[in-house]
Structure formats: structure tokens, C-alpha cells
Amino acid sequence: MQKLTNRAKQIDRSPMNLSERAYLPALAKGLGMTLSHIFKKKATVSYPEVKRPFSPVFRGLHVLNRDENGAERCTACGLCALACPAEAITMEAAERKPGEEHLYREEKYAAKYEINMLRCIFCGYCEEACPKDAVYLSESVMPTNYNRAAFIYKKEDLLIPNPQKKDSK
Ligand code: SF4
Ligand code: SF4
């Protein structure tokens, strides 16, 4: 019969000799293989004590940015939500009132801004779409949780600390 491939192996069906029946050579071979791995460089790390360096293009937890005066950069234009393929971003816009210029950079701001991290695929499209450099993906790894509600990140969770307040401390 014509072979389909050349990978077929002929099985040796001759009766086992004494040493083969005692399984000693196979045991020694297995032990030798185990011992040889003791001296080899480990392929694993003792996480979380040891952490591997991330790739320079790693995209982690989102951050909402402020300007140099501490005002929120986001103007609630909705472009990030529009660009998001996972429909993970929701927001509500509000008008800035007189006297709130130190809080919000533009005349419109996000009164509510939420990202559902269970939907997010960390593609970075929101960051690319933002015309105000208001949202970016940081190098922080998102913490795990057993509670689904904890994965809905609100504006307060995403906003970076106000640099002005930090200086004044
Ligand atoms: S990283 Fe991608 S999936 Fe996540 S919120 Fe931004 S656009 Fe949506
Ligand atoms: S984060 Fe950027 S793109 Fe998204 S609503 Fe705010 S200003 Fe617009």
C-alpha cells in the first residue's frame, strides 16, 4: 500500500529482554533527564516576588490626565467612546460654570466617565482617538477582583492626582 507520508514509524514488537522487563534502563534514563533539568536555566519566574519586564508597548490601566494647572483635560467629546471597539466607555457631558476654570480646561467636561474593564481589550484606540491627550493607557497592571462591579472604573478612579494639590502638601 502506498504511504501517505514518510512519518510512519515501524513499531518493534519483539519480546522484551530481562533488563527491559525490570524497567531499570528506562528508570535511569528518566532520572537522568530530571537531574539534567536541575542545572538548566529556569524558564519560569517566582511570580509575584519576581516580575518579568513588560514590553515597551505594554498597555495597562487607563488614566485620565490633567493639564499642568491641575484642570481636567477631558472635554467629553465622546471620540474615545466612538473609537472603542468593545463599547466599554460611557460618559455624560456637562457645561463648565463660571469660576470652575481651575477644575475643567474646556467649556464642556465629563460629569461622568466610566470604563468597563471587563469589556476593555486594551487596544489603545481610545488613547489614539483623544484630541486632548486626556486619556492614555498607563504601565500599571489592572488589579484583579472577585467583584464584577469593581471592574467599572469611574472618573474618580481614573483621574491622576492633581499636581497642584500635591505641591501644596
Ligand atoms: S483600550 Fe480599547 S477596548 Fe479599552 S476602552 Fe480603550 S478603545 Fe475601548
Ligand atoms: S477622553 Fe478625550 S476623546 Fe474621550 S471624551 Fe475626553 S476629550 Fe474626548
Side-chain angles (χ1 to χ4, degrees):
M1 197 171 72
Q2 195 184 357
K3 288 178 185 173
L4 290 175
T5 68
N6 291 324
R7 285 181 290 175
K9 278 188 187 168
Q10 199 69 37
I11 296 171
D12 181 12
R13 295 191 184 277
S14 55
M16 289 194 286
N17 60 31
L18 185 65
S19 75
E20 282 171 338
R21 273 185 281 155
Y23 296 107
L24 287 176
L27 265 175
K29 196 176 163 191
L31 274 173
M33 177 85 69
T34 306
L35 286 173
S36 75
H37 278 279
I38 291 176
F39 304 105
K40 279 186 188 163
K41 192 174 173 245
K42 279 190 209 165
T44 54
V45 295
S46 304
Y47 186 85
E49 289 82 19
V50 182
K51 292 189 176 86
R52 285 189 194 282
F54 286 123
S55 152
V57 292
F58 172 79
R59 291 187 289 256
L61 197 60
H62 304 63
V63 166
L64 279 179
N65 214 354
R66 294 176 187 270
D67 68 8
E68 55 287 354
N69 300 317
E72 293 174 20
R73 296 183 80 99
C74 177
T75 184
C77 65
L79 284 175
C80 52
L82 204 65
C84 178
E87 297 184 0
I89 304 176
T90 49
M91 75 190 68
E92 274 173 25
E95 294 282 338
R96 185 181 70 187
K97 294 187 182 66
E100 289 183 335
E101 291 78 6
H102 64 292
L103 296 175
Y104 313 113
R105 196 163 180 247
E106 313 284 339
E107 289 160 6
K108 230 171 72 176
Y109 69 95
K112 182 182 153 192
Y113 190 101
E114 284 182 4
I115 303 183
N116 184 339
M117 296 298 177
L118 291 174
R119 282 174 164 243
C120 177
I121 53 171
F122 297 90
C123 62
Y125 284 0
C126 49
E127 179 181 328
E128 282 181 37
C130 181
K132 302 288 176 187
D133 285 340
V135 65
Y136 68 90
L137 277 71
S138 69
E139 291 175 358
S140 312
V141 181
M142 193 181 62
T144 52
N145 209 304
Y146 290 108
N147 180 5
R148 293 181 75 86
F151 288 98
I152 314 286
Y153 277 64
K154 300 191 169 44
K155 192 172 103 169
E156 304 76 59
D157 307 319
L158 300 166
L159 261 177
I160 60 163
N162 189 334
Q164 297 299 324
K165 282 189 182 169
K166 215 182 199 176
D167 290 347
S168 62
K169 269 181 192 174

